[in-house]
Structures are given as C-alpha cells and as structure tokens.
Amino acid sequence: MKKLLFAAAVMLMSLTASAQQKAPVALEKAPHAFDNGMKVGPKKAEANGIILGGYTSDTYTTNGIGYNMNVNISVAQVIPASMLKPFDGGRIVSLRFALCNDKGPATRVFVAPVVDNNVQPDVLSKEVTWQQEGWCKVDFDDSYTINSEEVDQLLIGYDLQNVTGGYQMSIVEEGTILPSWVYGPLANDGSSAWFNMGTEDYGNLSIQVYVDGVNVDNEYGVTTNDFGEVRTEVNKEVNANVSFIGGGSEPITSLTYDVLLNNEVKGTYTADINPGVGYASPGSFEATFPAVADGGVYDAIIRVNKINDNDITAVDCKGKFIVVPKVVERGAVVEEFTGTGCGWCPRGWVGMEKMREKFGDQFVGIAIHKFNSSDPMFPTSYANLQFGGAPSCMINRGEVMDPYYGTTGDICNDVDAVLAVPTTVGIKVSGEYNENCTEVNAKAEIEAIVEGGPYKIEYVLIADGLEGSATAWKQSNYYSQYSQSQFPEDIAPFCSGGEHGQSTTFLVFNDVAIASSYTGSTNKATAPGTMAAGEVKENTFTLTMPTKAILKNAILIDKVAVCAFIVNPDGTIENGAKFYLQPTPEQLGIENVNNSSEMTEVARYTVDGRQIMKPQSGINIVKMSDGTIMKVMVK
C-alpha cells in the first residue's frame, strides 16, 4: 500500500506500561516524491548472514522522514516474539541501517529486549560514525542469542543527530510492516521517553540484523497462511493477497500454484516475487482466482508446488471463494469513537465530513460520543466495541483505524476498498415517526444473495445538525496550538488563527448516534438467522427517541435517519443502509416549538385567523418572539 507521510502531529504513546504520552513534534517527509528507492538483489541465506527484520532486501529510500528540529534521538524497530521464533538459538552478530543522505550522523547501534512492555538494558551496543547515504553494516564485538520465550519483542535501532529539514531516516514499503519507535525529548514538557513514531501504515524503517548459527535444512521451502475469504461476481476473475514465510536457504523469487475449488483444479499460475524473500522472512503475492459461471460459496485451496521453478512437496493454504450471482448496493458502516472532551477528535470530525460528502448514502456514518460522559451526545446504550483510543473508527467492524488518515493516509481509500467488494446480503431500510415523534418504527428488507448466516441485525438512529450554546457542547481542540501550515487544508481551520482555532470550539455535529436497538450492551432486535440464496425477509424494530433535555432540544426531526445493518457470525458488518425520516408538516410544527427554548410565544390564532388566549384543539397558528410563524397540532 502507498501512504504519504504528512507534516502532522503524530500522537505517540509511551512504550512503558505507565500512562500514555503524546509527542506534539511533527514527523515530516522529505519535500520530494517519497518513492525513490535503491534496490539490489536479495541476500542468499548463508550460515553467517541470515537477515532478520521487517523486510530483508537491500532497498532503501533517498527521500526519507525526520523531525523539524535539531535533536538527538534513538530510533528503533520492534521485532515481535512471533517473528523471532524461527531464529531461536541463533545469535545476532551484526546490524545494518540505511540513511537517506549525509545531513546528520548516526552515532551508535543497539539491540534491546522488551519484557512486560518495558525496554530492558541494551544487550548489544556499539558506537559508529556514519554520515552518508546508504547502508551502514556494523559487526558487534559480542553476540546475543535469540530466545523468543524470554522476550516480548526486540528493539533494533540506532542513535541519530536529527537535523531540521534533514529527513535522514529511510522507510520502505516492503515486507511485514512493523512499528517504529523513537526516544528523545519529544513530550509536551520537553522530557524524553520512548514514543511510537506512527509509521506503521507508511512502511518499515531501513534497519535489519544478521543472525548466525541458524540451521537451514532445505534449499527451497515456504509456509503459506490461510487467506480467509475472497469474493467476486460471476464470470469475473479476481486477485487476492496470500502471505507466506520463506523457509529455505535460497531466496524465493517465484511461486507456482494451483487453484482448487471444491477440490477441483481450476487453474495453474506463477507469481513473481520481487524482491526475493529469504529464510524466515515474510512475503506475499497476488493469487489469481479464475472466473466462475455459477454463483455460490466454494471451498478454495491455493496449492504451491514449485519455488523458483523447482518442484517441492505441495504446500496448501485454504479459504472460501464466494461468487455472487448479482451485485446489490453496499453501504460502508463507519462507526467512530469520539467525544467533545477529546482534543484530537476534530480530526475525526473532518474525516467523517469528508466521507459523508464523497460517498453520500453509501456512507452510513455513526459518530459514537462515548469518550466523555459530560458530552451532551453521550449514548446510554450501544454495542460494546473495542476501539482503544479516540479518535478511531471501524469500517463494517473491521480493523480499528484513524477516521481521517485510515490505513493509507486517506480514510476514503479504505471506504473505497470496502465498497469494491460485492456483498452477500442486500438491505433496504425505512422508518416513520409515531404521532408525537417520541418513537421511530423501522423496517428492513433483507435479501440473501448467496446462502449464509446466521445473521444478526442492528438498528441505530443518527442525527445531523446537532449544536448548542451551553459550554458542554464545546469541542476540545488540541490543534489550536499548531500553525495552519503544519496540517492539511481541511484540518487547518482548527489550527491557530483558523475559524475553529481555539482550545475549545462550537461545532455542528452530524451522523451522531442518538438511539439504537441496544438496551445496555444487549441488542434487542430479532435476528434474521440463516438465509438461503435468494431468500427475502422483513424485519422491524421500534426505536425510542432521546428524552434527555439537552440532547432532545437540539434534535431536528427532519434531520434524523434510521440505519440498519446486517452482522455476520464473526461480528463484522456485511451490509448497511440508512433512510432519512420524513416528518409530516404537523410533526414539524411540534418539533419547532420543542426546539425554540430561546424564543417565546407572543400570539396564537386559529386556522381562520381568530386570535385565541390558550391552545385550542386542532391546528393552531403560533407567532414567536423572533417573528417566525408556525403550525402546531394540539390534541
């Protein structure tokens, strides 16, 4: 994936188990295209030189990243225990890293274990002087024996004199993307700590270690991972990513494989692997699934039988291949964790608005204001979703991501990816108010495109245009301490001097969850269950409008939508839809009175123009202190 580095304040957290910390220092990219790489062929696995790292090729970039200040820092990549395991018993003997230029020197390399989320003393360390573009390989005076049972992670890193505008650190989009960390005086108070650099979605830091003493028995070997679920339309070929781990002394440069559907071979293909993948190193390829004429759910196998055109014992990975006989509209349900007390949440507010504008009704946005209970929009009942921190979001209850940056630098790319995958269930939703607008009667029509389930269904009411004048409605805003030039144009209004460039600011909130089919954490909607291909079911549920005055008085009943979404057995959302309610003129009259707390009634008339002193059964014409005139239905 391609993700540009923005001149944005990266929210960083301490590597220790203590309180989380944020570093306001902006991580920047070089002011040139971030795709200029130097490539050399992959290293052959030798007795004294197996490479371990997020990626194992010789690639480095000549346009990198850095901090906009002169500061001495330590930068490191996290190698998890799961990646260390194939190297157990091996000894780390060397480390290499790459710099993009000669702007500032690296002065030391190190290896440090992480146990119980705490960085331990260095087990390997050596001083260096490296101030030029390219790779620096350092042989340690001692070695460190890997034991994945004794550590949670290893930090492999180097000390760097970061220079303003230097952009010395190389980062590469290859391999399995691992977190990168920085130690330095980057906290708000100028103190030093370990902070996450926030580069996981950009690529791997150009740093690797060499491991000696690992026995590689076979010249060629591979371990593939099951690929889950692949979908396409009838008569349409599709590609899917398959990940693997190299398992032989020779780097993998090509894989030949058969595709089996319901145990029948449907095609044979070869995938080139560039750069090559060495022993115990991660890799992936795009597997081709052939076009199929009949819709349905197939058991699928990718059977690898050749490496570099050499026969091997077949290696299988499995999954499901789903072919839909027709394409129906798919919605992207974006549930955002946010709140008025969250200072970084203006970024989420911007992201939600961006998705709303681009995708229209296919964007089923649900802003869940559960960050702080003082928020006027705090929901009393909703699904118990594990977001972690704010702002964050899930698309169709997939992975947690940033509601502005997503996984590629633009959340809209993630929504596009979801909408591009055909759905196995169609859903349409409608609804109407009861007479006095205290309840909404919702109805969903569900159509199974292929056999599946058992499914659940959830309903949510969302409201647009929510705002208020009380202090509780003010949105906290940490961006006010930064200049507008540091951030993208759509976030800049929240920076110093911008329209919302204050530490707290009034906003108009859209897509806010105001009611749901949950009571506490229990969903009360009747589940549609398992459905046969082509089966259609109707489902209904009655939602209760909010009664809390501060929220109730802010709701405009002609800006409320009912959302419904189908939940798969694994908890992900298969499809969702929304429908804006259409109140009657009489109901709008009632609503206008309910939401006119700052206005007073000055006169009341019957429909034939007679002034009356008190409400009279039927339609009343009411004149308010601000000059507005409205119809009100009186029982």
Side-chain angles (χ1 to χ4, degrees):
M1 58 185 173
K2 189 70 179 172
K3 182 169 184 177
L4 298 179
L5 294 176
F6 297 95
V10 182
M11 287 177 294
L12 314 171
M13 62 183 67
S14 172
L15 188 59
T16 67
S18 59
Q20 292 182 355
Q21 302 180 56
K22 298 185 177 71
V25 178
L27 182 66
E28 298 181 331
K29 72 177 182 71
H32 306 289
F34 191 68
D35 59 0
N36 187 3
M38 301 295 180
K39 298 180 183 288
V40 184
K43 296 289 185 181
K44 180 178 180 179
E46 300 172 349
N48 186 20
I50 298 175
I51 296 176
L52 168 61
Y55 72 105
T56 57
S57 78
D58 290 339
T59 305
Y60 70 93
T61 51
T62 54
N63 292 305
I65 60 174
Y67 292 93
N68 191 29
M69 60 192 301
N70 295 320
V71 61
N72 293 330
I73 56 177
S74 299
V75 294
Q77 187 148 63
V78 172
I79 309 295
S82 60
M83 189 173 287
L84 295 173
K85 190 172 181 60
F87 295 87
D88 277 346
R91 297 176 295 111
I92 295 178
V93 295
S94 306
L95 180 150
R96 72 170 182 170
F97 64 93
L99 296 183
C100 297
N101 54 55
D102 60 358
K103 298 295 179 62
T107 57
R108 185 180 72 101
V109 294
F110 61 89
V111 176
V114 180
V115 179
D116 294 332
N117 212 29
N118 288 289
V119 180
Q120 306 299 306
D122 295 342
V123 292
L124 294 173
S125 176
K126 190 169 185 177
E127 293 185 0
V128 299
T129 301
W130 184 258
Q131 191 171 355
Q132 64 189 72
E133 177 192 316
W135 287 102
C136 172
K137 185 173 182 288
V138 183
D139 296 325
F140 291 111
D141 297 329
D142 202 349
S143 63
Y144 169 73
T145 301
I146 297 173
N147 186 338
S148 61
E149 300 295 326
E150 293 183 350
V151 300
D152 301 321
Q153 303 161 330
L154 279 183
L155 287 183
I156 59 173
Y158 58 92
D159 294 347
L160 177 69
Q161 292 181 15
N162 182 88
V163 177
T164 300
Y167 311 107
Q168 300 113 295
M169 290 180 279
S170 169
I171 194 166
V172 173
E173 289 184 294
E174 288 184 12
T176 297
I177 308 303
L178 300 175
S180 297
W181 293 75
V182 57
Y183 183 92
L186 305 176
N188 287 295
D189 59 2
S191 61
S192 294
W194 279 105
F195 298 102
N196 189 306
M197 292 174 70
T199 58
E200 289 93 324
D201 294 323
Y202 307 132
N204 280 305
L205 196 65
S206 293
I207 187 167
Q208 302 157 355
V209 291
Y210 288 80
V211 183
D212 187 13
V214 177
N215 294 319
V216 183
D217 297 328
N218 300 315
E219 188 175 12
Y220 298 105
V222 66
T223 300
T224 54
N225 298 318
D226 289 345
F227 52 86
E229 188 177 281
V230 179
R231 298 185 186 184
T232 189
E233 307 166 33
V234 291
N235 301 314
K236 187 174 182 179
E237 184 179 274
V238 67
N239 294 329
N241 186 268
V242 175
S243 61
F244 65 90
I245 301 293
S249 60
E250 285 293 326
I252 298 172
T253 57
S254 71
L255 293 170
T256 300
Y257 60 92
D258 295 330
V259 176
L260 291 80
L261 301 181
N262 291 347
N263 288 318
E264 182 181 349
V265 176
K266 294 293 186 180
T268 300
Y269 307 89
T270 296
D272 292 328
I273 313 298
N274 184 22
V277 174
Y279 175 79
S281 297
S284 64
F285 65 96
E286 290 295 310
T288 300
F289 286 80
V292 174
D294 298 322
V297 180
Y298 297 83
D299 292 324
I301 295 174
I302 299 293
R303 178 165 292 163
V304 178
N305 45 47
K306 288 185 179 183
I307 295 177
N308 302 354
D309 207 29
N310 294 279
D311 291 336
I312 64 167
T313 301
V315 177
D316 289 355
C317 56
K318 300 178 180 180
K320 293 291 184 182
F321 185 49
I322 298 177
V323 182
V324 299
K326 71 173 183 178
V327 176
V328 297
E329 184 168 290
R330 187 169 201 186
V333 179
V334 182
E335 293 168 293
E336 180 207 21
F337 179 46
T338 186
T340 55
C342 166
W344 297 113
C345 285
R347 183 172 76 250
W349 184 91
V350 173
M352 293 287 279
E353 290 296 309
K354 182 165 61 172
M355 288 181 276
R356 175 187 173 93
E357 180 178 350
K358 178 174 180 178
F359 298 104
D361 284 347
Q362 282 189 282
F363 167 65
V364 185
I366 303 173
I368 308 164
H369 281 249
K370 294 198 76 170
F371 182 82
N372 54 295
S373 58
S374 60
D375 191 321
M377 296 161 282
F378 186 88
T380 56
S381 298
Y382 199 81
N384 186 21
L385 304 178
Q386 302 299 315
F387 285 104
S392 56
C393 76
M394 300 176 185
I395 305 175
N396 286 354
R397 293 191 183 162
E399 66 176 301
V400 176
M401 64 185 70
D402 189 279
Y404 179 85
Y405 292 115
T407 63
T408 65
D410 185 347
I411 187 65
C412 290
N413 293 337
D414 295 280
V415 175
D416 275 325
V418 167
L419 295 178
V421 178
T423 183
T424 61
V425 178
I427 184 170
K428 297 178 182 178
V429 65
S430 59
E432 60 181 15
Y433 288 109
N434 65 352
E435 186 177 4
N436 59 0
C437 298
T438 58
E439 294 180 341
V440 174
N441 299 310
K443 181 173 71 174
E445 182 182 282
I446 309 159
E447 178 187 9
I449 310 303
V450 297
E451 180 181 357
Y455 298 115
K456 297 179 181 178
I457 188 169
E458 297 180 21
Y459 294 88
V460 180
L461 291 181
I462 58 172
D464 296 341
L466 296 183
E467 59 181 326
S469 57
T471 302
W473 285 94
K474 279 193 167 184
Q475 174 67 53
S476 180
N477 175 29
Y478 293 160
Y479 289 94
S480 62
Q481 59 189 308
Y482 302 107
S483 67
Q484 296 181 51
S485 62
Q486 289 181 274
F487 291 91
E489 184 178 351
D490 48 5
I491 292 180
F494 290 92
C495 300
S496 178
E499 178 185 358
H500 299 293
Q502 304 85 37
S503 60
T504 60
T505 183
F506 285 114
L507 295 176
V508 178
F509 298 94
N510 293 321
D511 304 304
V512 177
I514 59 171
S516 76
S517 54
Y518 278 80
T519 298
S521 58
T522 302
N523 179 30
K524 296 295 187 178
T526 301
T530 300
M531 298 181 67
E535 184 178 3
V536 177
K537 290 184 178 180
E538 283 194 354
N539 191 280
T540 60
F541 190 82
T542 299
L543 298 122
T544 302
M545 292 284 285
T547 57
K548 185 172 63 174
I550 192 170
L551 177 57
K552 176 184 176 182
N553 292 338
I555 295 172
L556 305 171
I557 64 172
D558 58 341
K559 292 188 177 183
V560 174
V562 58
C563 306
F565 38 90
I566 300 298
V567 182
N568 289 312
D570 66 358
T572 59
I573 292 174
E574 180 57 41
N575 202 359
K578 67 180 177 183
F579 173 82
Y580 278 92
L581 301 172
Q582 300 170 3
T584 66
E586 290 76 19
Q587 289 170 329
L588 282 172
I590 296 171
E591 188 264 343
N592 287 336
V593 171
N594 289 338
N595 290 301
S596 299
S597 57
E598 297 181 2
M599 297 183 293
T600 59
E601 179 182 323
V602 296
R604 182 178 290 260
Y605 305 88
T606 63
V607 291
D608 58 3
R610 293 182 295 105
Q611 187 169 1
I612 52 179
M613 302 305 296
K614 60 182 181 180
Q616 180 175 300
S617 179
I619 297 177
N620 292 192
I621 308 299
V622 180
K623 182 177 182 180
M624 306 303 294
S625 57
D626 69 345
T628 58
I629 297 174
M630 61 189 70
K631 293 180 180 179
V632 177
M633 173 63 73
V634 179
K635 292 185 178 180

